[in-house]
Amino acid sequence: MKIAILGSGLLGVTTAYELARRGAEVVVLDRQSTSGAETSYANGGQLSYSHAEPWANAAVLPKLPGWMLRSDAPLVLRPRADWQMMRWGLGFLRNCTPARADSNCVNMLRLGLYSRQKMAQLRAATNIAFDFSATGVLHIFSTQHEFEHARRQNDFQAKFGCNQKVLTREQCLEMEPTLAYTDRILIGGMHADMDECGDAYMFCNNLAAHIAEKYGVQFRYGVSIDRLVTEQNRMAAVKTSQGDVTADAFVMAMGSYAPLYLRQIGIDLPIYPMKGYSLTLNANEHCPNMSITDGTYKIVYSRLGDRLRIAGTAEFAGYNTKINEGRITPIMAAAKKLFPKADWQQEIKKWACLRPSTPTGAPILGRTRYPNLFLNSGRGTLGWTQAAGSAAIVADIMEGKTPEIMTLGLTLGDKK
Ligand SMILES: Cc1cc2nc3c(=O)[nH]c(=O)nc-3n(C[C@H](O)[C@H](O)[C@H](O)COP(=O)(O)OP(=O)(O)OC[C@H]3O[C@@H](n4cnc5c(N)ncnc54)[C@H](O)[C@@H]3O)c2cc1C
């Protein structure tokens, strides 16, 4: 069976891995010259399986009006004349009720824990390098209110097999001594010891090279997909800059761009691009060795070999990947306050890209109305974390098997 995977980001490459190792003939198409060159390029690096609280939750609601007026807010949602954005925004608000936030959280946690297992299996089977580390993620807090909220969330998640360790300020400093120089108030933290981190771009390319060599997966770069072609209620081909590509089955893994192409064939995905930014610098001895999530500024820090990756913010600006310095400045300012002795004089790499976000925070996996077209889409803020599990689920569905975990909340039929 020949399968064409549309998009060679984290979701495309991991799906190719799952299908190829099960014996399928796989071709992966991407407009870029390497795998992982768009949203999977310089993300926060965290494999934060335990981070399952969706952005849409009751605690976010009272903060939204203030955030909409502040240019340095973690989430900037400015109303504009864009129906898709308004629709996404309404879906987001609908998912902020405690009941919906809890059920979305449980669905994400189930996928997160499964992805941890699948990532461990993938690492063991392929032995690929990607600056992986398994020191967990340390969440730090500057206000009592946020700390209490995180502890309540932890109590909730503990019922589902995910318990983080609550730490005093001193215990945080013991765990990550470079925090001792911070200019910020730190009142405490939580350690998610099951979490990991690694470089997603390196992962994509080393996994692509591995499966090209081991299973003969064909990666066709520089191929721009123009249109999906259906015939008699089946996917027949994709029209590309290099001619038509036919296959027995197709997997849509084009990140934020998936809904634009699916809409042409009558499939409506509730995905909207949520822009995020990152900074990458060479680490010195005053940079953290472990991955950190700053719960107050919603910024993540990951040590990737000899580099420090800093990422954050959510901005709704349509399909625009330009770097807005006004959004970089608050990330840089927060990072300098947290790690004042890092080398801030060097040339720092700045990057921006679009997270394919759904209002629930959960992905959209599996079947569509076309029996030979499948989705691995809408991975939003946790696409790196949940890539390995999502790919295994999609491959199971394509093989006609029941996935190893319940897919409630993770399929097209579940999206409201
Ligand atoms: C700032 C930031 C920080 C993040 N931090 C984290 C983190 O710490 N942990 C985490 O788990 N997740 C994180 N994420 C989210 C994660 O990076 C994404 O969810 C993930 O990269 C999505 O992968 P994807 O394969 O769906 O999309 P992509 O990587 O964008 O892949 C889609 C591919 O499709 C190709 N494509 C699109 N359109 C076409 C076309 N017309 N023709 C041909 N090819 C096409 C693109 O070239 C691209 O390679 C972060 C995201 C951002 C922006």
Side-chain angles (χ1 to χ4, degrees):
M1 162 131 143
K2 181 178 171 189
I3 299 172
I5 296 183
L6 315 182
S8 193
L10 279 164
L11 278 305
V13 179
T14 47
T15 310
Y17 163 74
E18 277 296 338
L19 292 167
R21 75 182 187 85
R22 299 168 190 221
E25 179 192 344
V26 180
V27 57
V28 187
L29 309 175
D30 201 288
R31 61 186 170 192
Q32 299 292 344
S33 55
T34 63
S35 292
E38 295 203 2
T39 311
S40 306
Y41 180 68
N43 69 17
Q46 288 189 343
L47 292 158
S48 40
Y49 313 108
S50 66
H51 185 81
E53 185 183 22
W55 276 70
N57 66 68
V60 158
L61 274 184
K63 295 181 187 163
L64 278 180
W67 282 353
M68 283 160 92
L69 299 171
R70 266 177 43 205
S71 64
D72 64 344
L75 186 146
V76 178
L77 202 157
R78 291 203 184 84
R80 27 184 255 162
D82 176 342
W83 161 238
Q84 293 303 335
M85 193 193 102
M86 285 190 259
R87 194 175 74 133
W88 191 97
L90 289 173
F92 181 89
L93 293 176
R94 208 170 37 240
N95 279 284
C96 283
T97 63
R100 283 201 179 220
D102 284 355
S103 100
N104 292 335
C105 171
V106 172
N107 294 336
M108 302 249 274
L109 190 55
R110 193 186 323 114
L111 179 58
L113 298 179
Y114 180 59
S115 293
R116 184 173 194 271
Q117 247 182 59
K118 288 286 145 188
M119 179 56 109
Q121 289 168 7
L122 183 153
R123 284 191 295 109
T126 63
N127 204 22
I128 56 168
F130 57 101
D131 282 338
F132 172 78
S133 73
T135 47
V137 171
L138 174 62
H139 295 251
I140 53 168
F141 302 94
S142 293
T143 71
Q144 197 61 40
H145 177 72
E146 284 154 353
F147 195 23
E148 291 305 325
H149 175 82
R151 290 167 72 154
R152 279 195 300 277
Q153 181 67 22
N154 186 42
D155 291 344
F156 175 71
Q157 292 191 191
K159 292 184 216 152
F160 302 93
C162 174
N163 199 1
Q164 302 183 19
K165 191 169 175 210
V166 179
L167 304 173
T168 61
R169 178 183 189 278
E170 289 63 38
Q171 287 170 319
C172 291
L173 300 193
E174 227 169 82
M175 192 168 266
E176 183 44 72
T178 58
L179 284 171
Y181 302 107
T182 184
D183 291 339
R184 286 257 308 278
I185 296 170
L186 288 188
I187 58 157
M190 319 238 300
H191 183 229
D193 63 354
M194 68 166 65
D195 291 349
E196 301 166 337
C197 81
D199 185 321
Y201 180 67
M202 212 191 231
F203 173 90
C204 283
N205 285 288
N206 288 345
L207 184 58
H210 177 86
I211 58 179
E213 193 188 319
K214 184 160 181 186
Y215 303 111
V217 174
Q218 203 194 338
F219 284 87
R220 291 184 56 190
Y221 297 116
V223 176
S224 191
I225 294 159
D226 298 330
R227 200 155 65 78
L228 312 184
V229 183
T230 58
E231 264 171 31
Q232 293 171 344
N233 206 32
R234 286 182 71 79
M235 266 291 290
V238 282
K239 287 220 169 291
T240 80
S241 54
Q242 295 185 16
D244 288 6
V245 175
T246 55
D248 301 308
F250 297 79
V251 180
M252 171 50 83
M254 278 158 54
S256 294
Y257 299 86
L260 306 183
Y261 293 83
L262 290 169
R263 223 167 275 149
Q264 299 167 352
I265 58 165
I267 297 174
D268 187 24
L269 292 192
I271 291 176
Y272 194 82
M274 187 202 268
K275 191 168 173 182
Y277 290 84
S278 78
L279 305 172
T280 307
L281 52 143
N282 297 321
N284 66 11
E285 71 274 24
H286 301 298
C287 289
N289 285 304
M290 68 183 305
S291 201
I292 291 183
T293 294
D294 180 340
T296 301
Y297 285 83
K298 306 257 180 284
I299 294 176
V300 303
Y301 298 79
S302 283
R303 183 65 177 258
L304 304 171
D306 55 7
R307 296 161 301 147
L308 178 65
R309 174 74 45 76
I310 305 165
T313 86
E315 182 185 12
F316 288 83
Y319 283 88
N320 169 351
T321 54
K322 278 210 189 105
I323 292 178
N324 170 357
E325 287 295 333
R327 299 295 295 153
I328 289 274
T329 309
I331 303 180
M332 186 84 94
K336 282 184 179 170
K337 264 181 152 279
L338 199 57
F339 298 107
K341 288 178 176 259
D343 174 9
W344 297 108
Q345 302 308 319
Q346 66 184 286
E347 199 178 318
I348 294 170
K349 292 193 184 95
K350 300 172 185 174
W351 174 80
C353 221
L354 307 174
R355 304 174 182 99
S357 300
T358 62
T360 61
I364 309 176
L365 310 176
R367 296 187 182 288
T368 66
R369 59 195 264 198
Y370 300 97
N372 65 338
L373 173 64
F374 299 85
L375 305 174
N376 196 346
S377 301
R379 279 295 348 122
T381 54
L382 291 170
W384 179 209
T385 303
Q386 297 176 350
S390 300
I393 290 173
V394 172
D396 280 343
I397 292 173
M398 291 179 76
E399 282 192 320
K401 288 187 186 157
T402 304
E404 293 176 303
I405 61 162
M406 197 168 61
T407 57
L408 183 69
L410 310 177
T411 64
L412 187 54
D414 293 326
K415 298 296 159 192
K416 303 272 165 10

